[in-house]
Amino acid sequence: MINENDLIQHDKMGFIYGLRQSLTIVIGYAPVAITFGILATQFGLTFWEAGLMSFFVYAGASQFIGIEMIHQGATPLMIGLTTLIINIRHLLMSLSIVPFFPERTLPWSLGLAQGLTDETFVLNTKVLKEVVGEENRQRVMLGINLGAFSSWVTFTILGGLIGNWLPVEFSGFQFALLALFIILTTSSLSKKNYGTYLMAAIFSVVLKLLIPGKLYLILSVALAAGIGAWWRRRRLPI
Amino acid sequence: MSTEYLSTIVLMTLVTYGSRVLPFLLFKGKNVQGFARDFIELVPIALLAALVIPELVTPGGTIILIHNPFLWTGALMFVFSRFVPNLFLGIVFGMAVFWGLDKLLI
């Protein structure tokens, strides 16, 4: 039986509730976005160009790679293709979120999809399970997404301003992105995927030595994920 | 702002937003199954390996082991983040260790 207090509690779960939930993401985003802003200005972009990328692209890892590739002189097409490879995972996350909103309208679809990142996906999946009613779920997700998004853009601009006004000579910045990736690796590695990780590591080193440019990224990822997926299917009992 | 930078942002936005919004527009609650699902699931971890390992092992285009601050910072970083799973502390640790080793190993 549904308790009256529970119903009142559920009524309160709206935009503001989502915004409050997003605070955990904001704390994680702030240092990364500031680092991105500083790096972007060190690579020759202005603070507002960095902010513009955070506003439109809004995808951490690919933004770091994007500015690195711009710095190395890669073409927009090559950067676009690499971004696609990196962000294709959003398809899967989006597919898992969609069942929360069976009656969604077009504006809600366009709006909620914009804020889907690794972090908001994890938080939304956890929080939305507890929220009753599709309208409430939409508002909660909007709150979570907007909180995370606005902090990413704001802290990028802040980092850009720091990088612009205080020319920081610190070689440690070269490792910021790698550090972020290694942290993500240790939190994502499991018995189910370490074989793919090892394959991708070997393929990428070998292909980087053999092929000029950044093509090794796409090739090694496609090869390792392809073999990994094939291997999983193969071991399943028929 | 150059046209080149603008077209980079437009392309990056198109592919990123595209992969976020397509399921919202096309699906009513179905999930991808089979090989495609496993493949998409394994892409992020494969990508992390491809982004990190070559940068650690071959920072200048050839394999360097001893005088390579990237490799040693990377190894320490793996150990640190295994025991301290905190984004902020991890990044600060990585940058500080790299800065120190960069000075030491040259």
Coordinates of all heavy atoms in Angstrom, one line a residue, chain A residues 154-212:
Chain A
T154 N 30.8 26.8 -17.1 CA 31.3 27.9 -16.2 C 32.7 27.7 -15.8 O 33.6 28.6 -15.9 CB 30.4 28.0 -14.9 OG1 29.1 28.0 -15.3 CG2 30.8 29.3 -14.1
F155 N 33.0 26.4 -15.4 CA 34.4 26.2 -14.9 C 35.4 26.1 -16.1 O 36.6 26.4 -15.9 CB 34.4 24.9 -14.1 CG 33.9 25.1 -12.7 CD1 32.7 24.5 -12.3 CD2 34.6 25.9 -11.8 CE1 32.2 24.7 -11.0 CE2 34.1 26.1 -10.5 CZ 32.9 25.5 -10.1
T156 N 34.9 25.8 -17.3 CA 35.8 25.8 -18.5 C 36.2 27.3 -18.7 O 37.4 27.6 -18.9 CB 35.1 25.4 -19.7 OG1 34.7 24.0 -19.6 CG2 36.0 25.5 -21.0
I157 N 35.2 28.2 -18.7 CA 35.6 29.6 -18.9 C 36.5 30.1 -17.8 O 37.5 30.8 -18.1 CB 34.3 30.4 -19.0 CG1 33.5 30.0 -20.2 CG2 34.5 31.9 -19.0 CD1 32.1 30.6 -20.3
L158 N 36.2 29.7 -16.6 CA 37.1 30.1 -15.4 C 38.5 29.6 -15.7 O 39.5 30.4 -15.5 CB 36.5 29.5 -14.1 CG 37.2 30.0 -12.9 CD1 37.0 31.5 -12.6 CD2 36.7 29.2 -11.6
G159 N 38.6 28.4 -16.1 CA 40.0 27.8 -16.4 C 40.6 28.6 -17.5 O 41.8 28.9 -17.5
G160 N 39.9 28.9 -18.5 CA 40.4 29.7 -19.7 C 40.9 31.0 -19.2 O 42.0 31.5 -19.7
L161 N 40.1 31.7 -18.3 CA 40.6 33.0 -17.8 C 41.9 32.9 -17.0 O 42.8 33.7 -17.1 CB 39.5 33.6 -17.0 CG 38.2 34.1 -17.8 CD1 37.1 34.5 -16.8 CD2 38.6 35.2 -18.6
I162 N 41.9 31.8 -16.2 CA 43.1 31.6 -15.4 C 44.3 31.4 -16.3 O 45.4 32.0 -16.2 CB 43.0 30.4 -14.4 CG1 41.9 30.6 -13.4 CG2 44.3 30.0 -13.8 CD1 41.5 29.4 -12.6
G163 N 44.1 30.5 -17.3 CA 45.2 30.2 -18.3 C 45.6 31.5 -19.1 O 46.8 31.7 -19.4
N164 N 44.6 32.4 -19.4 CA 44.9 33.6 -20.2 C 45.7 34.6 -19.4 O 46.6 35.2 -19.9 CB 43.6 34.2 -20.6 CG 43.3 33.9 -22.1 OD1 44.2 33.4 -22.8 ND2 42.2 34.3 -22.6
W165 N 45.2 34.8 -18.2 CA 45.8 35.9 -17.4 C 47.0 35.5 -16.6 O 47.8 36.4 -16.3 CB 44.7 36.5 -16.4 CG 43.6 37.2 -17.2 CD1 43.8 37.8 -18.5 CD2 42.3 37.5 -16.8 NE1 42.6 38.4 -18.9 CE2 41.7 38.2 -17.9 CE3 41.5 37.2 -15.7 CZ2 40.4 38.6 -17.9 CZ3 40.2 37.6 -15.7 CH2 39.6 38.3 -16.7
L166 N 47.1 34.3 -16.2 CA 48.3 33.8 -15.5 C 49.0 32.8 -16.3 O 48.6 31.6 -16.3 CB 47.9 33.2 -14.1 CG 47.1 34.0 -13.1 CD1 46.6 33.0 -12.1 CD2 47.9 35.1 -12.5
P167 N 49.9 33.2 -17.2 CA 50.6 32.2 -18.0 C 51.3 31.1 -17.2 O 52.4 31.4 -16.7 CB 51.5 33.0 -18.9 CG 51.5 34.4 -18.3 CD 50.5 34.5 -17.3
V168 N 50.7 30.0 -17.0 CA 51.2 29.0 -16.1 C 52.2 28.1 -16.8 O 51.9 27.5 -17.8 CB 50.1 28.1 -15.6 CG1 50.5 27.3 -14.3 CG2 48.8 28.9 -15.3
E169 N 53.5 28.1 -16.3 CA 54.5 27.3 -16.8 C 54.6 26.1 -15.9 O 55.4 26.0 -15.0 CB 55.9 28.0 -16.8 CG 56.0 29.1 -17.9 CD 56.1 28.5 -19.3 OE1 56.7 27.4 -19.4 OE2 55.7 29.2 -20.3
F170 N 53.9 25.0 -16.2 CA 53.9 23.9 -15.3 C 53.7 22.6 -16.2 O 52.7 22.4 -16.8 CB 52.7 24.0 -14.3 CG 52.5 22.8 -13.5 CD1 53.5 22.3 -12.6 CD2 51.3 22.1 -13.4 CE1 53.3 21.2 -11.8 CE2 51.1 21.0 -12.6 CZ 52.1 20.6 -11.8
S171 N 54.8 21.8 -16.3 CA 54.8 20.7 -17.2 C 53.8 19.6 -16.8 O 53.3 18.8 -17.6 CB 56.2 20.1 -17.3 OG 56.5 19.5 -16.0
G172 N 53.3 19.7 -15.5 CA 52.3 18.7 -15.0 C 51.1 18.7 -15.9 O 50.4 17.7 -15.9
F173 N 50.7 19.8 -16.5 CA 49.5 19.9 -17.3 C 49.5 18.9 -18.4 O 48.4 18.4 -18.8 CB 49.2 21.3 -17.8 CG 48.7 22.2 -16.8 CD1 49.3 23.5 -16.6 CD2 47.6 21.9 -16.1 CE1 48.8 24.3 -15.7 CE2 47.0 22.8 -15.1 CZ 47.7 24.0 -14.9
Q174 N 50.7 18.5 -18.9 CA 50.8 17.5 -20.0 C 50.2 16.2 -19.5 O 49.9 15.4 -20.4 CB 52.3 17.3 -20.3 CG 52.9 18.4 -21.0 CD 54.4 18.1 -21.3 OE1 54.7 17.1 -22.0 NE2 55.3 18.9 -20.8
F175 N 50.2 16.0 -18.2 CA 49.7 14.7 -17.8 C 48.3 14.7 -17.3 O 47.7 13.6 -16.9 CB 50.6 14.1 -16.6 CG 50.6 12.6 -16.5 CD1 51.4 11.9 -17.4 CD2 49.8 12.0 -15.6 CE1 51.4 10.5 -17.4 CE2 49.8 10.6 -15.6 CZ 50.6 9.9 -16.4
A176 N 47.6 15.9 -17.2 CA 46.3 16.0 -16.6 C 45.3 15.0 -17.3 O 44.5 14.3 -16.7 CB 45.8 17.4 -16.7
L177 N 45.3 15.0 -18.7 CA 44.4 14.2 -19.4 C 44.7 12.7 -19.2 O 43.7 11.9 -19.0 CB 44.5 14.6 -20.9 CG 43.6 13.8 -21.9 CD1 42.2 13.9 -21.5 CD2 43.9 14.3 -23.3
L178 N 45.9 12.4 -19.3 CA 46.3 11.0 -19.1 C 45.9 10.5 -17.7 O 45.4 9.4 -17.5 CB 47.8 10.7 -19.3 CG 48.2 10.8 -20.7 CD1 49.8 10.9 -20.8 CD2 47.7 9.6 -21.5
A179 N 46.1 11.4 -16.7 CA 45.6 11.0 -15.3 C 44.1 10.8 -15.3 O 43.7 9.8 -14.7 CB 46.0 12.2 -14.4
L180 N 43.4 11.6 -15.9 CA 41.9 11.5 -16.0 C 41.6 10.1 -16.6 O 40.7 9.4 -16.1 CB 41.3 12.6 -16.8 CG 39.8 12.5 -17.1 CD1 39.0 12.7 -15.8 CD2 39.4 13.6 -18.1
F181 N 42.2 9.8 -17.7 CA 41.9 8.5 -18.4 C 42.3 7.3 -17.6 O 41.6 6.3 -17.6 CB 42.6 8.5 -19.8 CG 42.1 9.5 -20.8 CD1 43.0 10.0 -21.7 CD2 40.8 9.8 -20.8 CE1 42.5 10.9 -22.7 CE2 40.3 10.7 -21.7 CZ 41.1 11.3 -22.7
I182 N 43.4 7.4 -16.9 CA 43.8 6.3 -16.0 C 42.8 6.1 -14.9 O 42.5 4.9 -14.5 CB 45.3 6.5 -15.5 CG1 46.2 6.4 -16.7 CG2 45.6 5.4 -14.5 CD1 47.7 6.8 -16.4
I183 N 42.3 7.2 -14.3 CA 41.3 7.0 -13.2 C 40.1 6.4 -13.8 O 39.5 5.5 -13.2 CB 41.0 8.4 -12.6 CG1 42.3 9.1 -12.0 CG2 39.9 8.3 -11.6 CD1 42.1 10.5 -11.7
L184 N 39.7 6.8 -15.0 CA 38.5 6.2 -15.6 C 38.7 4.7 -15.9 O 37.9 3.9 -15.7 CB 38.1 6.9 -16.9 CG 37.5 8.3 -16.8 CD1 37.3 8.9 -18.1 CD2 36.2 8.3 -16.0
T185 N 40.0 4.4 -16.3 CA 40.3 3.0 -16.6 C 40.2 2.1 -15.3 O 39.5 1.1 -15.4 CB 41.8 2.9 -17.1 OG1 41.9 3.8 -18.3 CG2 42.1 1.5 -17.5
T186 N 40.8 2.6 -14.2 CA 40.8 1.7 -13.1 C 39.4 1.5 -12.5 O 39.1 0.5 -11.9 CB 41.7 2.2 -11.9 OG1 41.4 3.6 -11.7 CG2 43.2 2.1 -12.3
S187 N 38.5 2.5 -12.7 CA 37.1 2.4 -12.2 C 36.3 1.6 -13.3 O 35.2 1.2 -12.9 CB 36.5 3.7 -11.9 OG 36.5 4.5 -13.1
S188 N 36.8 1.4 -14.5 CA 35.9 0.7 -15.5 C 36.4 -0.7 -15.7 O 35.7 -1.5 -16.3 CB 35.9 1.4 -16.8 OG 35.9 2.8 -16.7
L189 N 37.7 -1.0 -15.4 CA 38.2 -2.3 -15.7 C 37.5 -3.4 -14.9 O 37.3 -3.3 -13.7 CB 39.7 -2.4 -15.4 CG 40.7 -2.2 -16.6 CD1 42.1 -2.3 -16.1 CD2 40.4 -3.1 -17.8
S190 N 37.2 -4.5 -15.5 CA 36.6 -5.6 -14.8 C 37.0 -6.9 -15.5 O 37.6 -6.9 -16.5 CB 35.1 -5.5 -14.8 OG 34.6 -5.8 -16.1
K191 N 36.6 -8.0 -14.9 CA 36.9 -9.4 -15.4 C 36.3 -9.5 -16.8 O 36.8 -10.2 -17.7 CB 36.3 -10.5 -14.5 CG 37.2 -10.8 -13.4 CD 36.6 -12.0 -12.6 CE 37.4 -12.3 -11.3 NZ 36.7 -13.2 -10.5
K192 N 35.2 -8.7 -17.1 CA 34.5 -8.9 -18.4 C 35.2 -8.1 -19.5 O 34.8 -8.3 -20.7 CB 33.0 -8.4 -18.2 CG 32.2 -9.3 -17.5 CD 30.9 -8.7 -17.1 CE 29.9 -8.5 -18.2 NZ 28.7 -7.8 -17.8
N193 N 36.1 -7.2 -19.2 CA 36.6 -6.4 -20.3 C 38.1 -6.2 -20.3 O 38.7 -5.6 -21.2 CB 35.9 -5.0 -20.3 CG 36.2 -4.2 -19.0 OD1 37.2 -4.4 -18.3 ND2 35.3 -3.2 -18.8
Y194 N 38.8 -6.8 -19.3 CA 40.3 -6.6 -19.3 C 41.0 -7.2 -20.5 O 42.0 -6.7 -21.0 CB 40.9 -7.1 -18.0 CG 41.1 -8.6 -17.9 CD1 42.3 -9.1 -18.2 CD2 40.1 -9.4 -17.5 CE1 42.5 -10.5 -18.2 CE2 40.3 -10.8 -17.5 CZ 41.5 -11.3 -17.8 OH 41.7 -12.7 -17.7
G195 N 40.4 -8.3 -21.1 CA 41.0 -8.9 -22.3 C 41.0 -7.9 -23.5 O 42.0 -7.7 -24.2
T196 N 39.9 -7.2 -23.6 CA 39.7 -6.2 -24.7 C 40.7 -5.0 -24.4 O 41.3 -4.5 -25.3 CB 38.3 -5.6 -24.7 OG1 37.4 -6.7 -24.9 CG2 38.1 -4.6 -25.8
Y197 N 40.9 -4.7 -23.1 CA 41.8 -3.6 -22.8 C 43.2 -3.9 -23.2 O 43.9 -3.1 -23.8 CB 41.7 -3.3 -21.3 CG 42.6 -2.1 -20.9 CD1 42.1 -0.8 -20.9 CD2 43.9 -2.3 -20.4 CE1 42.9 0.2 -20.6 CE2 44.7 -1.2 -20.0 CZ 44.2 0.0 -20.1 OH 44.9 1.1 -19.8
L198 N 43.6 -5.2 -22.9 CA 45.0 -5.6 -23.2 C 45.2 -5.6 -24.7 O 46.2 -5.2 -25.2 CB 45.3 -7.0 -22.6 CG 45.5 -7.0 -21.1 CD1 45.7 -8.4 -20.6 CD2 46.7 -6.2 -20.7
M199 N 44.2 -6.2 -25.4 CA 44.3 -6.2 -26.9 C 44.4 -4.8 -27.5 O 45.3 -4.6 -28.3 CB 43.1 -6.9 -27.5 CG 43.1 -8.4 -27.5 SD 41.8 -9.1 -28.5 CE 40.4 -8.7 -27.6
A200 N 43.6 -3.9 -27.0 CA 43.6 -2.5 -27.5 C 45.0 -1.9 -27.2 O 45.5 -1.1 -28.0 CB 42.5 -1.7 -26.9
A201 N 45.5 -2.2 -26.0 CA 46.8 -1.6 -25.6 C 47.9 -2.1 -26.6 O 48.7 -1.3 -27.1 CB 47.2 -2.0 -24.2
I202 N 47.9 -3.4 -26.9 CA 49.0 -3.9 -27.8 C 48.8 -3.4 -29.2 O 49.7 -2.9 -29.9 CB 49.0 -5.5 -27.8 CG1 49.4 -5.9 -26.3 CG2 49.9 -6.0 -28.8 CD1 49.1 -7.4 -26.1
F203 N 47.5 -3.5 -29.7 CA 47.2 -3.0 -31.1 C 47.6 -1.6 -31.3 O 48.2 -1.2 -32.3 CB 45.7 -3.2 -31.4 CG 45.3 -4.6 -31.6 CD1 44.0 -5.0 -31.3 CD2 46.1 -5.6 -32.0 CE1 43.5 -6.3 -31.4 CE2 45.7 -6.9 -32.2 CZ 44.4 -7.3 -31.9
S204 N 47.2 -0.8 -30.3 CA 47.5 0.7 -30.5 C 49.0 1.0 -30.5 O 49.4 1.9 -31.3 CB 46.7 1.5 -29.4 OG 47.2 1.1 -28.1
V205 N 49.8 0.4 -29.6 CA 51.2 0.6 -29.6 C 51.8 0.2 -31.0 O 52.5 1.0 -31.6 CB 51.9 -0.1 -28.5 CG1 53.4 0.1 -28.6 CG2 51.5 0.5 -27.1
V206 N 51.5 -1.0 -31.4 CA 52.0 -1.5 -32.7 C 51.6 -0.6 -33.8 O 52.4 -0.2 -34.7 CB 51.6 -3.0 -32.9 CG1 52.0 -3.5 -34.3 CG2 52.2 -3.9 -31.8
L207 N 50.3 -0.3 -33.9 CA 49.8 0.4 -35.1 C 50.3 1.9 -35.0 O 50.5 2.5 -36.1 CB 48.3 0.4 -35.1 CG 47.6 -0.9 -35.4 CD1 46.1 -0.9 -35.2 CD2 47.9 -1.3 -36.8
K208 N 50.5 2.4 -33.8 CA 51.0 3.8 -33.7 C 52.5 3.8 -34.3 O 52.8 4.8 -35.0 CB 51.1 4.3 -32.3 CG 51.4 5.8 -32.2 CD 51.7 6.2 -30.8 CE 52.1 7.7 -30.8 NZ 52.6 8.1 -29.5
L209 N 53.2 2.8 -34.1 CA 54.6 2.7 -34.6 C 54.6 2.5 -36.1 O 55.5 2.9 -36.8 CB 55.4 1.6 -33.9 CG 55.7 1.8 -32.4 CD1 56.3 0.6 -31.8 CD2 56.6 3.1 -32.2
L210 N 53.5 1.8 -36.7 CA 53.5 1.5 -38.1 C 52.8 2.5 -39.0 O 53.2 2.7 -40.1 CB 52.8 0.1 -38.3 CG 53.5 -1.1 -37.7 CD1 52.6 -2.3 -37.9 CD2 54.8 -1.3 -38.3
I211 N 51.8 3.1 -38.4 CA 50.9 4.0 -39.3 C 51.1 5.5 -38.8 O 51.0 5.8 -37.6 CB 49.4 3.7 -39.2 CG1 49.2 2.2 -39.5 CG2 48.6 4.5 -40.2 CD1 47.8 1.7 -39.1
P212 N 51.4 6.4 -39.8 CA 51.5 7.8 -39.3 C 50.1 8.4 -39.0 O 49.1 7.9 -39.4 CB 52.1 8.5 -40.6 CG 51.8 7.6 -41.7 CD 51.6 6.2 -41.2

